[in-house]
Amino acid sequence: MEKIVDIIEAMAHEKNISLESAVDAFKEALIKTAKRCTTYSSHFEAKVDMSKKDYSVEQVITVVKDGDERLESEPDAFIGLKEAHEEYGADLELGDELRSAFILEDHGRTASFNLFKELQYHIQRQVEQDLFGKYRDKVGTVMIGTVNRIDDNENTFIEIGELKGMLSQRNRIKGEKFKRGDTVKALLRYVTIDPEMGMFLELTRTAPKFLEKLMEKEVPEISDESVNIIASARIPGQRAKLALKTDFPNIDPIGAAVGVKGIRINAVSAELDGENIDCVEHSPIPEVFITRALSPAIVQSVKIVNGEDKKAIINITSDQKAKAIGKSGINIRLASMLTGYTLELNEIEGVTDRTGESSGNAPEVEKTTNTDALADLFK
């Protein structure tokens, strides 16, 4: 018995799993082996005492009502009350358990061989479960690994610790090319188990969350939560927008994110293949937030058409319309993703100068005495 318990300790050390996990695997192996030697409908319990280097296995038969359906489906695990009284005495009650020792050594070499096979299997399962739990806790974080190979479908396989990560073509920034030996940063989307590939990590470099995590690593104020990222939007490899907020009056959220001479924002942009990153200050007032999100365009007014449908109409002069839309519509798309509003541009006459003032026939701005939106600023 001592030799078997020593093997458990050695396996735990070799497979780099906790001793508790190895003991649990050993218990499962004992129960499976006992069922192989008897019947699969039998119930067993295993106990392991590592201090005494001893273990025991007991077969358990539970007393149930006569006519219980489990007497038919699992006849070796349950016994009717009447039969129990006849065989084991009238003092037995419903729910009582009849226990008998299962001695592995009495079942010869076959039992020992089966126990070793079952132990290997359950130890491997425990290793996989530990790995799955370890990397599941890291979902949503940035992983760093080395490119191992690239298949015919342009899927990039990356070695990350004990597992392999897969960066598919759709999760790569357009135009990115990797070769074997390259070091790659990517966001862990999820851990999955595939019948062919086994356990692997699904990675992405296109998610807005990846941009947020890179900013968190590069900007101390974001890391210590002095500055918070409220929302983000990306068109990977082209342009992105971040909405930032701070509750500290002495901190400029935009200046903190950009850094001196743009050193911080440029470092993140370089990691994202030159992606242009705009930072705007978040506002709880939708009209203000939308106005900032459409920068560098200067808008004349914003009207929320329907709060539930989240649609806004923006009055803008003709000279600012192109800026608001951006190349291939990229600016207005990002602003819409960032704010969560469907944005509709309404071109008005006039020209907007650099101060944001419009000359021409601009529509009269609708005034209101409702201060509910302003109250959000002081929450």
Side-chain angles (χ1 to χ4, degrees):
M1 290 185 182
E2 290 185 7
K3 185 176 181 181
I4 293 177
V5 176
D6 287 338
I7 290 174
I8 302 304
E9 293 179 333
M11 280 187 162
H13 179 73
E14 179 186 351
K15 298 294 186 178
N16 195 27
I17 62 174
S18 66
L19 184 59
E20 291 77 9
S21 297
V23 170
D24 288 342
F26 181 46
K27 289 179 181 179
E28 286 291 328
L30 286 170
I31 291 171
K32 291 288 186 182
T33 302
K35 288 188 174 187
R36 278 174 175 263
C37 295
T38 54
T39 62
Y40 284 99
S41 63
S42 299
H43 284 190
F44 291 90
E45 286 186 6
K47 297 179 181 178
V48 179
D49 189 337
M50 295 301 293
S51 60
K52 295 181 180 179
K53 294 192 174 183
D54 191 14
Y55 71 90
S56 63
V57 182
E58 291 181 327
Q59 184 172 3
V60 182
I61 300 175
T62 305
V63 180
V64 296
K65 290 181 180 180
D66 294 323
D68 192 303
E69 60 181 18
R70 289 175 293 181
L71 293 171
E72 294 291 334
S73 59
E74 300 175 81
D76 299 304
F78 298 95
I79 186 171
L81 183 61
K82 182 180 179 181
E83 184 182 351
H85 284 168
E86 292 175 354
E87 294 190 19
Y88 301 103
D91 57 338
L92 288 173
E93 299 178 353
L94 293 175
D96 285 349
E97 294 179 343
L98 304 172
R99 293 175 175 267
S100 59
F102 174 84
I103 309 301
L104 182 66
E105 288 79 0
D106 292 346
H107 294 269
R109 288 187 174 182
T110 301
S112 300
F113 177 74
N114 288 335
L115 176 61
F116 185 69
K117 284 180 62 179
E118 289 287 347
L119 181 57
Q120 284 185 314
Y121 171 76
H122 287 289
I123 285 286
Q124 185 59 37
R125 287 290 303 273
Q126 196 64 53
V127 169
E128 292 174 356
Q129 288 177 11
D130 287 357
L131 277 176
F132 187 84
K134 173 184 175 181
Y135 283 97
R136 181 183 56 195
D137 293 339
K138 294 182 179 180
V139 169
T141 62
V142 175
M143 311 297 289
I144 303 176
T146 305
V147 176
N148 178 266
R149 70 183 180 91
I150 301 170
D151 66 14
D152 296 335
N153 296 322
E154 293 295 319
N155 295 317
T156 304
F157 293 89
I158 301 169
E159 290 188 357
I160 300 175
E162 306 92 332
L163 296 178
K164 283 188 178 181
M166 186 180 77
L167 187 64
S168 62
Q169 188 173 12
R170 66 185 178 87
N171 286 317
R172 287 205 319 265
I173 296 172
K174 188 176 180 180
E176 277 188 328
K177 295 289 184 181
F178 298 111
K179 61 181 184 298
R180 188 173 180 179
D182 285 349
T183 300
V184 177
K185 289 182 182 178
L187 186 82
L188 177 57
R189 291 185 64 197
Y190 54 82
V191 187
T192 189
I193 300 176
D194 184 84
E196 295 182 1
M197 298 177 58
M199 189 183 302
F200 71 96
L201 310 175
E202 178 75 23
L203 305 172
T204 180
R205 285 174 54 82
T206 59
K209 192 74 175 177
F210 182 48
L211 168 61
E212 294 180 20
K213 288 297 181 180
L214 290 177
M215 290 294 295
E216 184 179 319
K217 287 182 176 293
E218 197 67 36
V219 182
E221 289 85 351
I222 295 177
S223 180
D224 63 20
E225 298 184 351
S226 300
V227 175
N228 297 313
I229 299 176
I230 305 301
S232 60
R234 289 181 68 193
I235 296 178
Q238 298 183 49
R239 193 170 172 184
K241 286 181 182 283
L242 287 171
L244 306 173
K245 176 188 174 184
T246 182
D247 294 325
F248 298 89
N250 60 328
I251 296 179
D252 173 19
I254 309 302
V258 173
V260 179
K261 296 182 179 180
I263 188 170
R264 292 174 175 175
I265 203 83
N266 288 339
V268 175
S269 177
E271 176 61 38
L272 299 176
D273 203 28
E275 192 169 305
N276 187 18
I277 305 168
D278 298 335
C279 296
V280 300
E281 190 169 355
H282 178 264
S283 172
I285 304 172
E287 292 86 348
V288 176
F289 188 28
I290 291 169
T291 299
R292 293 172 178 173
L294 280 169
S295 64
I298 301 171
V299 305
Q300 295 303 308
S301 64
V302 177
K303 182 180 180 181
I304 306 299
V305 177
N306 191 320
E308 294 180 359
D309 294 340
K310 302 195 78 172
K311 181 178 179 181
I313 295 178
I314 296 96
N315 288 323
I316 192 165
T317 55
S318 57
D319 62 310
Q320 296 295 315
K321 187 175 181 180
K323 292 181 182 179
I325 296 173
K327 184 179 180 181
S328 301
I330 194 170
N331 193 56
I332 196 168
R333 285 164 58 198
L334 286 172
S336 180
M337 287 189 281
L338 190 70
T339 61
Y341 280 81
T342 301
L343 305 181
E344 181 180 319
L345 298 182
N346 179 39
E347 186 178 341
I348 60 175
E349 294 181 1
V351 177
T352 302
D353 60 25
R354 292 184 179 180
T355 63
E357 297 178 353
S358 175
S359 61
N361 298 323
E364 183 179 350
V365 178
E366 183 179 349
K367 297 183 179 180
T368 179
T369 58
N370 189 342
T371 60
D372 291 343
L374 291 174
D376 291 337
L377 291 173
F378 302 98
K379 287 183 179 179

